[in-house]
Amino acid sequence: MATPDRIAPTIAPEETVERPWRFDLFARWPWLKRLVRMRSFQFLVILPNLFMFYFFLITALFGTPIGNRNIIIVFVWILWWFVLIAVLVPFGSRVWCTVCPLPFFGDWLQRRALIRVREGKSPGTQNRFFGLNKRWPKRLSNIWLQNFGFLFLATFSALLVTRPMVSMILFGIMIVLAAGLALVYRLRTFCNYVCPISGFLSLYAMTSTVELRSVDKDECLRCKSKSCIRGSDKGWACPWNVYMGKLDRNNYCGLCFECVKSCPNDNISLFARPFATSDVLIKGYDEVWKASIMLVLALSYSVVLLGPWGQFKDWANISEVGDWGGFGIYAGGQALLALVIFPALYYLSIRLAKWYARADAISTKELFLKYSYMLVPMGLLAWIAFSVPLLMVNGSYIISVSSDPLGWGMDLFGTAEFPWTPLWPEWVPYMQVPILLAGFYYGLRGLHKVGRQLFSDPVQLHRSLIPPAVLLVGVTLVFLKLFIG
Amino acid sequence: MRRIRIPNYLIVGLLLLLGGVAGFFSVHFGQPPPQERTLTITAHQYAYDPPILRVNRGDRVTIRLVAEDVTHGFYLEGYDLDAKVRPENPTFWVRHPSQGDEFEEVEEISFVANRTGKFRYRCSNTCGYMHPFMQGELIVSPNYLYPSSIGMSLGLLVGMLWIFRRTPPGGRS
């Protein structure tokens, strides 16, 4: 995805630093390849999700307004959230996008087909697309909208995760927006540039243990048809507008597997790789700020939602308490911390790194962008540490609402009266500590890996690592204080 | 004489361990003698007052519960206690979750703080929209996990910076 504010990597990573191992999952398990090459694959995996999703919307409309007794809140904000952040992203990259029901109608409106491919000519593709097929403005071809959208939604998270109706309204708006944008703009504009969930998935997918890549990049360069991005009679043009010959990060690949179907050279495969070691290149300020926003929000949620201080909860709980002054302090403070204070601290650490290493040959901008990768594994693992108590403490609601999804007093499976039973809550801190330390460890490793690509002098390299590493340990200590201190 | 090169993982592991042990012993000694502590905890939507209780290991803690607005719960993790308290009621109902669902009416609950660490007390009775997030903290000193984790973080930092020094760079500048 070429965007004006992203700088190109100044050196190819493979030129200087050894590549981590990876192995070809399609070669290992040919059935997996056969599965994703089926034309009906994505439709079949979205379909059950779509039904479930609409059922949740109905429960929000007609069910109890008490969040922990309504299936939409319990399944989406406890179960789905935990599975997404702790399992799907680290081990499946953007596999949620493979099954996400939100863009379903948008896709259908563009393609007028659920399964089959339409050959033809639409701008830049070998497929027939319906709608206006306009290009998304270049100025917005980044994740800034997603950054601000997520931060805005996060400000209302206390309402979102406790009120079924608020969740329903949000999902409703997202469906309509995805469909509307699909009618006007090309491909998956909503997913690429607007969806607030997609924004953080793009960043944290960098750490994932899987990647979809071309087997041989030279083959892609020789390929005349470029079917992966243009489409063919076998597969739709990449909905994410990704050319596999240049794909070197997971960020903007939504794992729809259309390229696996359309590639005439059978040159696309799914690879397994080590965690948080391969994609370490941050390419734009939008991604740096995304990392900052996510880290600060994990911190803010740990204070407001999981902390003992009622004042913060009252401020965030605006619709019930109505303290607009307090809400202003909370919302403004959160935004200020995410958009200004933390990035300023990080910038300061970079200036210090540059000064201490006497790194005159490297611009502050390049160091600022590239060293920010350390915030990616740290942020993801902090989110996982935050999410562990959500599931372990409130997971038993899943059992009760399964029998009574609307909170009407039904008892479908005989578990409606299952009491709220926290699962080993006293052990949660002992799980959070290694998770946070792992985030810190992978953050440091990422920092070092990027540093090795930038510096040839060992003293300069080492000195440049110290200030950002100190910032990272500071972040770790703040989370430790909140979780166990 | 041939120099022995210590593997990187061993250096990091040792410093991690050393940091953890140092943190542990930084709070291990000099604990005050056990005391009697009587506390009144007021529950209201969606917090407890006081939000954080600090006691020492061995203290006998007696808690009286008061509800200000609606019926609230008080589930103290790690101490097998769950209570329900109604507004304008001097007594409340308590049970030990490991022993079943039977509640008994009491005026106060008392226990010896023999487990150290940070434990949350949470509302166990749906009390409104923000109920799942209503919680307070009981910190029983010495809270070994916290200083040990700080020590481990610092140990990890030093260890990683140490091994980074041993790894040659490969960049351009």
Side-chain angles (χ1 to χ4, degrees):
Chain A
M1 209 166 64
T3 57
D5 66 338
R6 297 210 167 97
I7 60 161
T10 45
I11 46 164
E14 53 268 74
E15 283 172 17
T16 53
V17 180
E18 67 277 11
R19 285 180 65 117
W21 61 263
R22 68 174 194 173
F23 77 83
D24 190 332
L25 292 171
F26 283 172
R28 178 83 174 78
W29 296 308
W31 60 266
L32 186 61
K33 185 173 174 180
R34 281 198 300 275
L35 185 73
V36 302
R37 287 187 85 160
M38 282 168 52
R39 272 266 25 110
S40 56
F41 169 72
Q42 197 169 18
F43 174 70
L44 291 177
V45 291
I46 287 178
L47 198 62
N49 238 0
L50 194 70
F51 280 123
M52 209 182 305
F53 189 67
Y54 278 93
F55 174 63
F56 289 168
L57 295 186
I58 290 167
T59 63
L61 257 184
F62 299 107
T64 173
I66 300 294
N68 54 304
R69 299 215 173 131
N70 193 310
I71 198 167
I72 187 173
I73 294 295
V74 173
F75 268 61
V76 172
W77 299 120
I78 297 176
L79 182 62
W80 171 79
W81 175 259
F82 181 82
V83 171
L84 178 73
I85 204 79
V87 182
L88 296 184
V89 173
F91 301 109
S93 185
R94 301 193 62 160
V95 70
W96 169 254
C97 301
T98 314
V99 302
C100 178
L102 292 174
F104 178 82
F105 291 110
D107 277 357
W108 184 81
L109 288 169
Q110 275 186 345
R111 297 172 178 178
R112 304 271 173 88
L114 293 175
I115 295 170
R116 75 184 180 101
V117 185
R118 282 182 195 276
E119 276 187 279
K121 290 275 182 193
S122 292
T125 75
Q126 298 294 325
N127 299 126
R128 169 86 171 98
F129 284 102
F130 296 88
L132 300 179
N133 278 309
K134 287 187 177 297
R135 280 189 178 276
W136 183 247
K138 266 207 156 167
R139 291 177 59 176
L140 297 176
S141 298
N142 47 54
I143 61 170
W144 282 113
L145 270 182
Q146 293 166 323
N147 287 352
F148 292 122
F150 194 79
L151 188 59
F152 175 78
L153 289 179
T155 307
F156 295 94
S157 57
L159 311 183
L160 198 59
V161 303
T162 55
R163 271 78 159 179
M165 196 56 88
V166 179
S167 287
M168 195 212 74
I169 291 168
L170 170 70
F171 295 138
I173 290 172
M174 288 169 83
I175 291 170
V176 171
L177 203 57
L181 287 172
L183 277 175
V184 178
Y185 294 103
R186 300 176 55 202
L187 308 171
R188 287 241 187 135
T189 296
F190 172 77
C191 305
N192 254 331
Y193 307 115
V194 182
C195 175
I197 300 164
S198 171
F200 78 81
L201 291 182
S202 71
L203 187 79
Y204 289 151
M206 294 175 83
T207 65
S208 177
T209 56
V210 295
E211 63 180 24
L212 191 73
R213 296 285 190 277
S214 52
V215 178
D216 176 6
K217 282 227 160 61
D218 293 337
E219 184 78 52
C220 292
L221 296 178
R222 286 192 296 271
C223 175
K224 294 274 192 289
S225 69
K226 307 278 189 268
S227 297
C228 53
I229 190 167
R230 288 187 189 148
S232 72
D233 60 332
K234 301 274 191 308
W236 290 96
C238 176
W240 300 80
N241 204 22
V242 167
Y243 167 50
M244 292 305 286
K246 284 191 175 167
L247 184 67
D248 57 357
R249 308 187 303 163
N250 278 356
N251 300 48
Y252 306 107
C253 167
L255 290 183
C256 64
F257 298 105
E258 286 297 326
C259 56
V260 181
K261 299 174 181 88
S262 61
C263 179
N265 306 310
D266 195 16
N267 190 36
I268 314 287
S269 194
L270 191 67
F271 295 90
R273 61 183 198 177
F275 178 72
T277 314
S278 301
D279 306 349
V280 293
L281 210 59
I282 295 281
K283 292 187 180 179
Y285 288 125
D286 52 345
E287 294 174 358
V288 180
W289 258 265
K290 169 56 77 183
S292 167
I293 289 169
M294 292 307 292
L295 200 61
V296 167
L297 286 180
L299 195 82
S300 169
Y301 283 8
S302 302
V303 172
V304 175
L305 299 181
L306 299 190
W309 303 284
Q311 185 68 74
F312 292 121
K313 293 182 211 293
D314 285 349
W315 286 351
N317 187 15
I318 183 62
S319 69
E320 196 173 3
V321 180
D323 178 0
W324 284 98
F327 181 74
I329 295 171
Y330 154 71
Q334 187 170 265
L336 196 68
L337 200 59
L339 298 175
V340 180
I341 297 174
F342 187 77
L345 283 174
Y346 171 63
Y347 177 77
L348 191 68
S349 78
I350 292 302
R351 291 292 299 189
L352 275 171
K354 192 169 151 58
W355 168 77
Y356 188 42
R358 293 188 176 84
D360 302 326
I362 295 172
S363 69
T364 306
K365 178 182 177 179
E366 187 171 8
L367 214 54
F368 182 83
L369 288 177
K370 291 189 172 172
Y371 271 5
S372 68
Y373 174 75
M374 70 175 188
L375 304 174
V376 177
M378 183 75 239
L380 176 64
L381 274 291
W383 270 100
I384 295 174
F386 161 80
S387 305
V388 165
L390 289 184
L391 185 73
M392 292 187 62
V393 172
N394 294 318
S396 58
Y397 288 133
I398 297 166
I399 300 170
S400 52
V401 300
S402 297
S403 274
D404 187 13
L406 292 106
W408 282 354
M410 291 186 282
D411 196 0
L412 299 174
F413 309 111
T415 58
E417 294 304 315
F418 191 85
W420 174 75
T421 313
L423 187 66
W424 305 309
E426 65 272 28
W427 292 105
V428 166
Y430 294 91
M431 299 168 75
Q432 289 174 313
V433 169
I435 292 170
L436 280 176
L437 288 179
F440 180 44
Y441 167 77
Y442 281 109
L444 286 176
R445 270 188 57 169
L447 184 70
H448 181 235
K449 182 164 182 177
V450 176
R452 286 185 70 202
Q453 295 171 23
L454 293 172
F455 292 94
S456 57
D457 178 68
V459 178
Q460 274 194 323
L461 166 63
H462 193 254
R463 287 182 167 199
S464 77
L465 298 176
I466 292 172
V470 169
L471 177 70
L472 204 59
V473 80
V475 169
T476 310
L477 295 184
V478 171
F479 276 106
L480 285 174
K481 172 69 185 160
L482 287 172
F483 292 151
I484 61 167
Chain B
M1 206 172 96
R2 211 179 135 200
R3 283 183 65 186
I4 299 169
R5 191 179 165 88
I6 306 168
N8 288 341
Y9 66 87
L10 208 60
I11 293 174
V12 174
L14 276 174
L15 284 166
L16 198 73
L17 190 70
L18 201 65
V21 170
F24 180 93
F25 283 108
S26 70
V27 292
H28 182 66
F29 301 107
Q31 283 299 302
Q35 298 175 27
E36 292 280 339
R37 290 179 190 265
T38 303
L39 306 153
T40 299
I41 298 179
T42 306
H44 57 88
Q45 288 176 320
Y46 298 97
Y48 296 94
D49 192 19
I52 301 171
L53 305 178
R54 291 179 192 278
V55 303
N56 295 315
R57 180 170 52 189
D59 286 358
R60 173 158 286 281
V61 182
T62 302
I63 292 175
R64 293 191 188 111
L65 283 177
V66 177
E68 228 172 43
D69 38 29
V70 296
T71 302
H72 288 284
F74 179 85
Y75 183 100
L76 177 57
E77 63 188 39
Y79 282 89
D80 198 27
L81 279 174
D82 184 19
K84 289 197 193 309
V85 55
R86 291 176 185 159
E88 298 173 3
N89 204 328
T91 60
F92 54 97
W93 288 262
V94 69
R95 72 176 181 122
H96 302 283
S98 66
Q99 294 168 22
D101 295 335
E102 289 298 307
F103 281 88
E104 66 171 307
E105 193 171 356
V106 296
E107 288 184 354
E108 56 188 31
I109 43 178
S110 186
F111 61 93
V112 176
N114 49 12
R115 291 186 72 169
T116 61
K118 182 170 178 171
F119 304 92
R120 266 84 176 181
Y121 40 93
R122 305 170 195 277
C123 185
S124 52
N125 191 74
T126 302
C127 62
Y129 287 115
M130 293 279 282
H131 154 73
F133 303 114
M134 179 172 165
Q135 56 187 294
E137 293 172 355
L138 168 71
I139 299 171
V140 183
S141 296
N143 179 7
Y144 290 115
L145 185 61
Y146 181 48
S148 302
S149 305
I150 293 175
M152 285 193 283
S153 304
L154 297 176
L156 186 61
L157 175 70
V158 173
M160 292 297 279
L161 288 175
W162 178 285
I163 63 168
F164 291 162
R165 278 185 70 161
R166 295 160 36 127
T167 319
R172 66 179 195 283
S173 70

